[in-house]
Amino acid sequence: MPRNEPPQNRRVNLRAVIFKDGKLFCQRLKNSHTLHDSDFWCTPGGGIDFGESLYEGLTREMIEETGVKPVIGNILFIQQFMDGEREQLEFFFHVTNASEYEVLDLASTSHGDIEVAACGFVDPKTTVIKPDFLTTIDLEAAIAASTPIRIAYDENPTHLT
């Protein structure tokens, strides 16, 4: 395969971890295939465009979905899983300007009103959040760690796409 073409069997996703006062900023997505919204929450983000840097991609996704430009901190987690025959890689970055996500106007964004059913800060210990490891890991400790990268592999994920 030529180096200037993206692999057809791999998708790279970027996710924001926005944590404040013990709560994680998440969204419930609208399901474009059914009339029902998703029954779980996830951190905001999405797929990277070919040739786009990780920071550019996360910034674009956050502005599209929330209208807020993220202040991107350390990478916290990398998740790898198979989605059918396609490999998914997800990079989770700490976003440090949490207070700017407390009140959002999704109608003023390019994608938020179309893709997001609900968003806000939720308790990761009592809310169904995907991927599952976000509900069991100590997020505050992960953010504060001097070696912040954690690796997660999920053999049976619930798909976020």
Side-chain angles (χ1 to χ4, degrees):
M1 170 185 306
R3 294 186 66 119
N4 61 350
E5 295 180 21
Q8 298 301 311
N9 59 350
R10 178 181 295 150
R11 178 180 162 109
V12 177
N13 300 301
L14 306 165
R15 301 271 172 215
V17 176
I18 306 168
F19 194 70
K20 183 176 182 187
D21 300 328
K23 296 192 176 187
L24 181 63
F25 182 83
C26 290
Q27 56 190 15
R28 260 187 329 103
L29 300 176
K30 293 181 179 180
N31 189 328
S32 60
H33 304 293
T34 69
L35 297 177
H36 303 288
D37 298 334
S38 67
D39 58 354
F40 61 87
W41 295 78
C42 62
T43 57
I48 191 171
D49 290 338
F50 182 67
E52 190 173 45
S53 77
L54 297 176
Y55 288 97
E56 290 169 338
L58 184 57
T59 298
R60 176 186 49 76
E61 284 289 341
M62 295 301 293
I63 291 171
E64 287 175 356
E65 293 178 8
T66 68
V68 177
K69 183 177 180 181
V71 176
I72 302 171
N74 289 333
I75 186 168
L76 299 176
F77 314 106
I78 300 169
Q79 175 177 238
Q80 176 185 17
F81 61 91
M82 294 300 292
D83 176 6
E85 295 193 18
R86 184 168 64 166
E87 177 189 22
Q88 298 266 1
L89 296 173
E90 289 189 316
F91 296 84
F92 293 77
F93 287 89
H94 181 218
V95 169
T96 62
N97 55 327
S99 61
E100 293 184 49
Y101 292 89
E102 291 181 301
V103 178
L104 300 175
D105 178 12
L106 297 182
S108 69
T109 67
S110 64
H111 290 61
D113 212 23
I114 298 166
E115 297 176 357
V116 180
C119 64
F121 285 90
V122 299
D123 185 342
K125 302 299 180 196
T126 60
T127 306
V128 178
I129 300 172
K130 297 296 180 186
D132 294 332
F133 75 85
L134 290 174
T135 64
T136 60
I137 196 163
D138 183 341
L139 290 169
E140 194 167 14
I143 290 167
S146 60
T147 54
I149 296 178
R150 305 281 190 248
I151 307 295
Y153 180 76
D154 190 347
E155 293 184 20
N156 299 301
T158 300
H159 310 301
L160 298 178
T161 56

